[in-house]
Amino acid sequence: MTALIELDGITKVLKGQEQPRTILDGVGLTVNAGQSVAIVGRSGSGKSTLLSVIGLFDRPDSGSYRLDGQEIAKLPERRAAKLRSSHFGFVFQRFFLLKHLTAAQNVAMALVNGQGWLPRRQRRSLVMEALDQVGIAHLAKSRPAKMSGGEQQRVAIARALVRDPKILLADEPTGALDIETGTLVIDALLAATERGCGLILVTHDRDHAARMGQIHDLVDGVLTERVTVR
Amino acid sequence: MRRLSGRFRSSLIIGIQGIRARKLRTLLSMVSLFLGVLAVVVVQAGASIAERALLADLEIQQGYDGTRVMDMPMQQNATEVLTATVRGREDAVAMLGVSGIVGEPGVLPVNPGGAPLDQDWGPAMVCNDQGCEPAPGVKGQAVEVRLTALSGDVRKFRPYRTVSGQWLDFTRMPSMSPKLVLNQPAADAFEQYRVPAEMRVGGAAANVTPQFVGVVDDGDMQPRAYVRLDELTTWLPPSRMSDPNTGGEMRLLMTQGSPVEPVVSAKLKALGVEPYVQTIETRKEQEKQLTLMRLVFFSMAGLVLLIGVAGILNVGLATVGERVEEFALRRAVGTPRTLLAGIVLAETLLTGLLTAAAAIGASAAALKVVTMLVGDSQPILRDVQFPWEAGVAGIIAGIVAGVLGGFVPALRAAGIPIATVMRA
């Protein structure tokens, strides 16, 4: 079986300072379809940078990055945008919902991105399906200001799921939530893995990490530990 | 094509969402741009209205562009040649001018020489072989007019505006009592001197009683009356129309390529008369004068528009600064840089077009109000319509302002690093 994501020897150096700083140092990681992976580590250890590289927000300075067996480490931005749309779903610590849009419109944002065009009826159906998956279809017409933190994060997850991504990248998705709500959010993310979607979760929270299939520890840019939980 | 359409629709949808989310900012952008677009619309509308008014005046005095005009010196046989050649033709009209006095019998006209009533051209003169001397008699209730006999409907060459009554009817049998259409100065003169009228024309077989059937605006300051040539020749032989002592004039108006021109030319040359032919190019001559004027006003309007563009640019940059996270997020979900730039451009373009619509609407409404209030006293504004060229200029100004004002913010939006959302 071809791995969904294969990183090998990924290095990222932060330049433009007095002394270049290595953020990622020879990182190797493999994620298969339906697999959940937690990346834990202290602040500044390079977790978000690693997620940026995986999510094609940023390019590695060296190393190999294969997505579905295809080398994409040096992909031009235009093709990277296309892959972000077709393969990835993103969930951030701050939900990044647009306050002037309703929950449904925020979710639809991922569909109205210039990568193909869907008729309004089809868009609406996909949006409602995604909102239903995270249990907040009844809030479709609500604006973010009227929703709780947990509800907002679930709208963000629906936005990540609406294009039926192959892999979900979640950067501290529970960081702004209480324990109970955070658990509900992790439930929603794990539910996606049951449908074959890969999940990479960056978190400080060891309890949430323990619910993932694998846990990796990132220390000073080096992925040092691999714990298989299940 | 399908991809382009998807991107276009996406940018339009997101652009409209952006405008709706920032109504006040959009309004401020529109306010800053409104005066600029309004200036362009007003200058274009003013230039078009002025051009049309000037052209209309020139056309009634000189003729439509392309009209061939043949002038010829007075010669007794030439009149007969001319009238015989153009009789019954649609592509040429002969204009033969003589002097006529209409009014109280046996008196000198109040305006000797057919002068405008407010001007004094000196006393009436009688000329013979020994020379000229003041005409005997006393001034009375009579007006001297330039009597222009027409072989056909001249309005297809010169668009005289009917002021009242009707124009000469060339389809009916000629009347024994010549029907006259007066120009405005002649009508004003007869308004002042209302008398039982007879018409005296030098060389006529009798002094007939004319019928006034209408008044036209022909752009002439001199009192003038138009008459059918065949009605006048009942009483005045064509050969007498070319008497230089009566101050006659002979002119032929033709369409381009009319076969009348070479025929008349040849016949006149055979009589020893050298005709002078020219083509009317009113618009061309007028455009030279208007171009410079328009350039000056458009430069001024362009400056005002530039200030508007600076306003929209300022608001656009501020808005992009506020929406850094939104644009980074959009990139994260796969929106290409070009589409992000397109979204910003779509917003400024829509703002520009909305402003253009407002400016065009305001100008059209203002023109309507002005024509209603002062249209009666200002002939240039009478029945004037909002020129479509001004609408087009406004839309172009709105689009140009939108593109110029949105270009830099669009570039900035496209350059926002995607990792912004990761570090927030």
Side-chain angles (χ1 to χ4, degrees):
Chain A
M1 187 178 83
T2 308
L4 197 57
I5 285 176
E6 277 182 286
L7 302 181
D8 186 16
I10 291 290
T11 303
K12 182 77 188 168
V13 179
L14 195 62
K15 299 173 188 111
Q17 295 181 335
E18 282 178 13
Q19 219 171 358
R21 205 176 117 222
T22 302
I23 307 293
L24 298 176
D25 191 2
V27 170
L29 177 68
T30 301
V31 182
N32 294 316
Q35 191 178 11
S36 58
V37 175
I39 296 171
V40 293
R42 288 180 306 171
S43 296
S45 59
K47 302 187 298 293
S48 294
T49 305
L50 178 59
L51 218 55
S52 290
V53 170
I54 295 171
L56 303 175
F57 296 179
D58 217 343
R59 284 185 198 164
D61 292 318
S62 63
S64 164
Y65 177 8
R66 281 189 295 280
L67 181 72
D68 272 340
Q70 190 188 349
E71 180 60 48
I72 57 165
K74 303 288 178 197
L75 210 58
E77 169 54 28
R78 193 169 51 84
R79 286 188 59 204
K82 201 169 184 177
L83 279 181
R84 280 199 295 275
S85 171
S86 62
H87 279 64
F88 294 98
F90 300 95
V91 183
F92 307 102
Q93 179 176 357
R94 283 175 54 203
F95 326 117
F96 289 122
L97 299 183
L98 302 184
K99 61 184 178 186
H100 61 276
L101 302 182
T102 62
Q105 286 171 328
N106 266 291
V107 175
M109 190 180 117
L111 297 172
V112 186
N113 64 356
Q115 307 287 1
W117 179 253
L118 294 173
R120 183 191 293 209
R121 188 173 293 178
Q122 203 177 334
R123 279 203 315 262
R124 192 176 298 166
S125 155
L126 286 171
V127 165
M128 291 313 293
E129 199 181 310
L131 284 170
D132 195 40
Q133 277 177 30
V134 293
I136 51 164
H138 61 287
L139 294 175
K141 289 184 179 169
S142 303
R143 292 185 194 278
K146 302 274 182 193
M147 289 187 264
S148 68
E151 286 166 341
Q152 288 187 50
Q153 191 59 298
R154 280 191 278 170
V155 173
I157 294 170
R159 182 178 63 200
L161 292 174
V162 73
R163 268 195 177 267
D164 194 18
K166 291 192 172 176
I167 189 140
L168 269 177
L169 302 179
D171 187 15
E172 300 277 11
T174 59
L177 304 172
D178 59 59
I179 295 167
E180 197 176 335
T181 312
T183 305
L184 287 172
V185 165
I186 298 297
D187 288 346
L189 292 172
L190 284 172
T193 62
E194 285 162 18
R195 293 189 292 273
C197 180
L199 169 66
I200 299 178
L201 172 73
V202 165
T203 182
H204 280 106
D205 191 317
R206 291 271 169 188
D207 291 338
H208 293 322
R211 297 182 63 191
M212 301 297 122
Q214 286 181 16
I215 303 173
H216 291 264
D217 210 349
L218 193 63
V219 180
D220 294 333
V222 181
L223 212 55
T224 56
E225 192 180 348
R226 174 180 169 151
V227 179
T228 303
V229 179
R230 52 181 170 157
Chain B
M1 194 68 192
R2 203 178 157 84
R3 194 175 66 179
L4 249 186
S5 162
R7 288 197 181 172
F8 177 74
R9 289 186 199 188
S10 300
S11 57
L12 212 59
I13 287 178
I14 299 166
I16 291 170
Q17 281 176 348
I19 285 175
R20 288 177 65 186
R22 280 165 284 276
K23 292 188 187 81
L24 184 62
R25 289 224 160 166
T26 306
L27 186 69
L28 288 175
S29 297
M30 285 177 67
V31 168
S32 73
L33 194 56
F34 182 77
L35 283 179
V37 179
L38 190 68
V40 172
V41 172
V42 168
V43 167
Q44 180 60 48
S48 296
I49 291 168
E51 187 178 356
R52 274 178 208 174
L54 285 170
L55 270 177
D57 282 349
L58 283 170
E59 277 172 347
I60 60 173
Q61 287 173 43
Q62 296 180 19
Y64 287 121
D65 272 13
T67 301
R68 296 281 288 168
V69 179
M70 182 187 285
D71 286 304
M72 57 210 81
M74 307 301 294
Q75 215 264 13
Q76 210 164 29
N77 293 331
T79 344
E80 281 166 1
V81 164
L82 192 62
T83 53
T85 312
V86 300
R87 187 174 295 128
R89 292 202 67 96
E90 291 289 316
D91 56 348
V93 172
M95 298 175 81
L96 301 165
V98 292
S99 178
I101 297 169
V102 181
E104 197 179 359
V107 297
L108 294 175
V110 290
N111 61 332
L117 253 58
D118 55 354
Q119 292 177 26
D120 185 2
W121 288 3
M125 305 296 282
V126 175
C127 297
N128 52 33
D129 296 341
Q130 277 79 44
C132 294
E133 56 183 23
V138 290
K139 282 187 180 178
Q141 300 279 310
V143 177
E144 184 170 345
V145 295
R146 298 298 305 158
L147 195 60
T148 303
L150 303 168
S151 67
D153 192 349
V154 76
R155 290 181 306 171
K156 55 178 166 270
F157 299 108
R158 289 183 179 178
Y160 297 152
R161 290 188 284 260
T162 305
V163 177
S164 63
Q166 60 201 27
W167 178 244
L168 299 171
D169 185 354
F170 288 86
T171 60
R172 293 188 176 176
M173 288 293 287
S175 168
M176 295 300 282
S177 167
K179 292 186 171 68
L180 300 188
V181 171
L182 307 175
N183 72 352
Q184 196 68 57
D188 292 343
F190 287 116
E191 191 71 30
Q192 208 172 329
Y193 300 100
R194 291 174 189 232
V195 288
E198 70 164 20
M199 182 166 74
R200 283 175 275 150
V201 181
N207 294 340
V208 294
T209 302
Q211 305 174 59
F212 296 160
V213 295
V215 178
V216 293
D217 178 7
D218 65 354
D220 199 345
M221 299 296 288
Q222 201 178 0
R224 190 177 285 273
Y226 296 92
V227 61
R228 276 174 61 166
L229 178 65
D230 49 6
E231 287 183 357
L232 188 64
T233 50
T234 308
W235 306 101
L236 182 69
S239 58
R240 298 304 301 265
M241 289 185 190
S242 60
D243 181 358
N245 292 328
T246 63
E249 58 193 10
M250 288 167 63
R251 178 168 287 169
L252 182 59
L253 305 182
M254 300 161 284
T255 56
Q256 272 189 333
S258 165
V260 171
E261 184 181 334
V263 172
V264 171
S265 285
K267 285 180 176 175
L268 289 175
K269 280 175 186 165
L271 292 171
V273 176
E274 192 61 43
Y276 171 70
V277 187
Q278 59 165 330
T279 303
I280 300 296
E281 290 181 323
T282 315
R283 186 176 292 271
K284 204 171 166 183
E285 288 163 12
Q286 194 62 35
E287 269 172 5
K288 279 182 198 162
Q289 295 172 25
L290 282 173
T291 303
L292 184 67
M293 192 175 76
R294 197 179 287 184
L295 199 69
V296 172
F297 280 108
F298 265 122
S299 305
M300 287 157 62
L303 272 178
V304 182
L305 187 65
L306 209 61
I307 296 167
V309 169
I312 205 169
L313 178 68
N314 187 25
V315 175
L317 283 173
T319 307
V320 168
E322 266 183 15
R323 297 169 71 187
V324 166
E325 286 181 1
E326 178 192 335
F327 289 130
L329 180 70
R330 287 193 186 279
R331 282 195 64 201
V333 298
T335 307
R337 286 174 191 272
T338 48
L339 183 58
L340 283 183
I343 291 165
V344 176
L345 273 179
E347 285 181 21
T348 53
L349 262 178
L350 286 171
T351 306
L353 285 173
L354 284 173
T355 310
I360 292 166
S363 308
L367 184 64
K368 192 90 182 164
V369 170
V370 168
T371 51
M372 277 167 61
L373 292 179
V374 296
D376 290 339
S377 58
Q378 299 294 325
I380 195 172
L381 291 173
R382 200 175 295 148
D383 297 328
V384 72
Q385 298 291 320
F386 185 73
W388 64 267
E389 299 96 321
V392 172
I395 291 168
I396 291 173
I399 291 173
V400 168
V403 170
L404 287 181
F407 188 68
V408 177
L411 285 182
R412 196 163 283 190
I416 289 171
I418 207 167
T420 307
V421 279
M422 301 298 290
R423 298 189 187 111

